[in-house]
Amino acid sequence: MLRFALRRLVSMIFVLFAISVLTFVIFTVIPGGDPAVRLAGRNADNAQIASIRKDFGFDKPAYVQYGRLMEKVFTGELESYSTGRLNVFDEIVKGIPRTLSLAIGAAIMWMLFAVALGLFTAMRAGRASDRVLTVLALVGVSMPVFWVGALMNYYLGFRAGLFPNGGYVPLTEDPIQWLYHLILPWTALSLLFIGVYSRILRSNILDTINDDYVRTARAKGLSERRVLVKHVLRNSMIPIVTLWGLDFGAVLGGGAILTETVFDLQGVGQFAAESIESLDQPPVIAITIFGAFFIVLLNAIVDIVYAALDPRIRLT
Amino acid sequence: MALAFGLLFIVLVAACLAAPIWANQVAKTGPIKNHLTDTVVVDGKKKDVVTPDGIAIGPTFQGQYFFGADGNGRDTAVRLLYGGRTSLFIGVGAALITAFLSVVVGLLAGYFRGWVDAVLARILDVIWAYPVILLGVALGTALSLGGLDVGPIKIDADSKLIPVLIIAVVYVPYMARPLRGQVLGMREKEYVEAARAQGAGPLRIMASEILPNLASTIVVFLPLIVANAILLEAALSFVGAGVRPPEPSWGTMISDGVKSIITAPHLTIVPGVMLVLTVLALNVFGDGVRDALDPRAKIRLER
């Protein structure tokens, strides 16, 4: 167990290092042209460009630039290139409660609805209601989140006036407004996962419902409800609980960019999107590492929890 | 049911392939032709295609401007069909490249094991952990500035190949990992042993003994990857890193539409519905293929 955790830690560090190098290469090596010229703007003269080049360290070799950048990532002194040289660390900290609110709320929402839908369709397997709901689940999987979000914002927010038109209110300031502002983003983000999870759960339930231990439980005279919840559901849930962890990490680690942008939540993802648009390299690298960290971390946690729950799995 | 949706997909593809016919014969305009000052007769009344305050006409459900026009007076139906060609090209192209790369990686890693496997597995780990949209957007933005110019490979900044390649790379881990697992199991089988005993080299064994047995997995994956690639194209275009305007794709049309959703909601709804229908058709069809070929349902793409 300890060995496994250690190995995971080493591979996590390697993956994060590789991702930081990759992002650095994408933004430094690939784009044609001089970053100093780009930052100086159209009307800059040569002296200005040279001073910017010196200020930002673009005259140094690439590995020195990378080293400095990473040093600043870890000391928290990283500043963005544009928009008034914001401290990247502060901006990320500002965005975290917003991104967390979105991710946690949506994760709870999609799990609840997926379990309800999965149970219902499994009980009605083969009937018309099962078929209709199964196709509906696939519709949820097939919709781009920003499209659904924009339509919700327009029809339910702007036209019907039922919901606010984007924006975010901190939980500590006004819990009711916080909830009110997040219902649409949660729903938009959840639809995809409800579709995926409910279908997996449905097929898992149908797989286990004929197992011997379920028959035994019925033969003991347990009520159908008890058999379903205690015996069938509990075992069928394992795969989607695993996925839940992975997806939660993915949503925190950048999966919510589009949702945040459409609903103007100003979270970490939206900060990333805006930085990419202005080719602002430091925030993008910091946020990418931050996002990858959550993805890798949740992957490791899921593996460990999984092994703890299922003794047949050996960690190597 | 899977067959019906497979048929729906074929109809949608055919419609998009027939785009020039609709454009020339019915709508009499092109996908990037502006009609800012034109008028059109609807129900006997003359109407501006784009009003003086910049509001585009909605759907007329007749030959010209069947689904209305956008802020530049471009015919939405024509753009929808041409955009479909772009989106489908990107989706299918990316899926084919993903399949090719995954098969190569899966074969090499699974057959040779050892350090080859270790190196490839690490590379897949990195792609896997890289936040998908961030990777796509970062690559897309960087490449769209200067294009790609590495040795013999040269791709223009506004080429459609850029989103194709980005999307192809993103989905490789999803497909390469299960393939590797399968190869790993197969290399110990008797028929591989027999081929080896007959003196067949690794390349030959991979190509003629193992590859044919991977076919059903590849076939199951393809429609699902095409569906997800079309969705990712839309996401990339939404953040400005996919297909470059003025060329239409469903993604760029939706992202343009969202900007003017208050004055002209049809610009968001029409391309979105078309995209959802296409992706849905592929998903249902793919599900059916999976049930037929892989009843134990080991393959999933969504994450």
Side-chain angles (χ1 to χ4, degrees):
Chain A
M1 186 71 192
L2 194 70
R3 251 188 78 170
F4 171 78
L6 230 89
R7 278 182 58 154
R8 268 325 264 265
L9 193 69
V10 172
S11 100
M12 262 174 80
I13 293 170
F14 165 78
V15 166
L16 292 179
F17 171 71
I19 281 174
S20 70
V21 173
L22 196 62
T23 315
F24 179 77
V25 168
I26 289 174
F27 274 86
T28 318
V29 181
I30 296 179
D34 190 337
V37 176
R38 208 167 56 225
L39 283 174
R42 271 178 219 290
N43 304 317
D45 54 37
N46 283 337
Q48 276 172 306
I49 293 175
S51 89
I52 286 181
R53 188 172 293 140
K54 201 151 178 287
D55 272 6
F56 286 86
F58 293 140
D59 49 350
K60 301 276 186 330
Y63 66 89
V64 177
Q65 286 188 42
Y66 172 78
R68 286 209 175 159
L69 191 81
M70 291 315 288
E71 194 189 322
K72 285 187 194 155
V73 167
F74 285 107
T75 52
E77 290 166 7
L78 194 65
E79 283 176 336
S80 66
Y81 286 164
S82 47
T83 48
R85 309 216 65 178
L86 296 167
N87 183 302
V88 174
F89 190 69
D90 290 348
E91 289 300 303
I92 293 181
V93 169
K94 228 185 275 172
I96 284 179
R98 295 152 183 258
T99 302
L100 266 182
S101 299
L102 175 64
I104 294 177
I108 294 172
M109 186 166 185
W110 85 58
M111 199 55 163
L112 286 179
F113 278 90
V115 170
L117 187 61
L119 256 179
F120 184 81
T121 48
M123 296 295 88
R124 298 263 184 292
R127 295 200 211 163
S129 55
D130 166 45
R131 293 211 180 151
V132 171
L133 287 172
T134 304
V135 172
L136 273 184
L138 273 169
V139 173
V141 176
S142 308
M143 291 191 294
V145 60
F146 61 89
W147 182 70
V148 181
L151 287 182
M152 282 179 169
N153 235 351
Y154 174 66
Y155 282 107
L156 300 176
F158 181 79
R159 284 281 287 271
L162 293 174
F163 291 96
N165 210 342
Y168 175 83
V169 176
L171 175 64
T172 46
E173 215 168 84
D174 186 347
I176 302 213
Q177 282 297 320
W178 172 81
L179 192 76
Y180 187 44
H181 278 78
L182 279 167
I183 287 178
L184 287 187
W186 284 341
T187 314
L189 187 57
S190 295
L191 287 177
L192 162 76
F193 298 107
I194 295 173
V196 176
Y197 287 33
S198 65
R199 279 168 58 232
I200 298 175
L201 185 63
R202 174 183 176 276
S203 73
N204 285 341
I205 292 178
L206 293 180
D207 275 352
T208 46
I209 208 154
N210 294 320
D211 278 357
D212 290 341
Y213 73 92
V214 177
R215 202 180 314 152
T216 312
R218 281 215 184 91
K220 281 195 299 188
L222 295 184
S223 72
E224 189 62 31
R225 188 200 186 95
R226 202 179 160 83
V227 171
L228 206 63
V229 175
K230 286 262 169 185
H231 292 80
V232 177
L233 192 58
R234 202 177 254 192
N235 276 287
S236 311
M237 289 277 287
I238 295 174
I240 62 171
V241 172
T242 318
L243 267 184
W244 201 29
L246 298 180
D247 285 331
F248 182 67
V251 166
L252 269 186
I257 290 184
L258 301 173
T259 318
E260 283 181 17
T261 310
V262 166
F263 290 102
D264 193 31
L265 293 175
Q266 306 281 348
V268 182
Q270 196 175 354
F271 180 45
E274 283 162 4
S275 306
I276 288 175
E277 218 163 295
S278 52
L279 276 177
D280 202 344
Q281 185 197 30
V284 177
I285 292 195
I287 296 170
T288 308
I289 297 173
F290 167 84
F293 173 73
F294 280 110
I295 295 177
V296 182
L297 181 73
L298 265 296
N299 263 299
I301 293 177
V302 163
D303 280 355
I304 292 172
V305 171
Y306 201 55
L309 290 178
D310 190 343
R312 282 171 304 181
I313 294 173
R314 282 250 188 85
L315 297 171
T316 47
Chain B
M1 190 161 72
L3 279 180
F5 277 90
L7 209 66
L8 171 66
F9 177 67
I10 291 170
V11 169
L12 290 168
V13 171
C16 293
L17 289 180
I21 301 176
W22 177 276
N24 294 329
Q25 304 302 322
V26 185
K28 303 191 170 60
T29 180
I32 51 174
K33 219 169 185 176
N34 295 348
H35 298 276
L36 278 167
T37 52
D38 285 17
T39 53
V40 58
V41 180
V42 184
D43 298 332
K45 271 183 277 179
K46 241 179 158 186
K47 275 187 174 170
D48 287 336
V49 173
V50 181
T51 63
D53 20 327
I55 295 172
I57 191 171
T60 62
F61 300 114
Q62 59 183 37
Q64 285 183 306
Y65 309 106
F66 189 87
F67 283 131
D70 66 9
N72 289 325
R74 296 178 295 200
D75 189 315
T76 305
V78 172
R79 281 177 70 74
L80 185 72
L81 295 178
Y82 274 96
R85 293 177 138 202
T86 312
S87 290
L88 289 167
F89 168 78
I90 291 177
V92 173
L96 290 177
I97 297 176
T98 303
F100 174 75
L101 292 176
S102 308
V103 168
V104 171
V105 170
L107 278 176
L108 292 178
Y111 189 83
F112 289 114
R113 300 187 295 192
W115 66 269
V116 179
D117 188 20
V119 170
L120 289 172
R122 285 290 93 77
I123 294 176
L124 293 187
D125 277 352
V126 171
I127 301 178
W128 179 274
Y130 209 119
V132 174
I133 298 172
L134 274 178
L135 175 63
V137 173
L139 272 175
T141 316
L143 289 176
S144 65
L145 274 181
L148 189 65
D149 194 357
V150 184
I153 310 162
K154 194 166 163 54
I155 301 175
D156 282 340
D158 52 1
S159 166
K160 268 181 274 182
L161 281 176
I162 288 180
V164 170
L165 286 177
I166 295 169
I167 296 168
V169 170
V170 165
Y171 285 116
V172 168
Y174 295 82
M175 186 166 172
R177 282 180 169 173
L179 284 178
R180 169 189 167 272
Q182 274 193 310
V183 176
L184 220 47
M186 264 178 231
R187 73 186 298 282
E188 311 296 338
K189 287 273 166 63
E190 290 83 356
Y191 56 85
V192 174
E193 203 106 332
R196 206 174 290 140
Q198 285 173 355
L203 256 180
R204 172 123 182 218
I205 292 177
M206 281 192 263
S208 59
E209 304 295 333
I210 297 180
L211 189 58
N213 287 308
L214 297 177
S216 70
T217 309
I218 299 170
V219 169
V220 170
F221 260 115
L222 272 178
L224 300 176
I225 293 193
V226 174
N228 280 275
I230 292 176
L231 281 177
L232 187 55
E233 181 275 319
L236 290 183
S237 296
F238 182 69
V239 280
V243 175
R244 312 198 77 196
E247 181 155 22
S249 78
W250 290 336
T252 52
M253 288 179 73
I254 296 174
S255 64
D256 284 349
V258 169
K259 283 171 206 147
S260 56
I261 193 167
I262 289 173
T263 55
H266 68 276
L267 293 176
T268 307
I269 297 169
V270 170
V273 167
M274 192 73 169
L275 182 139
V276 173
L277 270 183
T278 309
V279 175
L280 177 68
L282 279 166
N283 274 331
V284 179
F285 176 68
D287 252 26
V289 174
R290 175 172 55 192
D291 288 347
L293 293 177
D294 179 43
R296 303 226 19 112
K298 285 275 175 277
I299 296 169
R300 343 178 303 113
L301 193 63
E302 306 97 345
R303 173 172 144 193

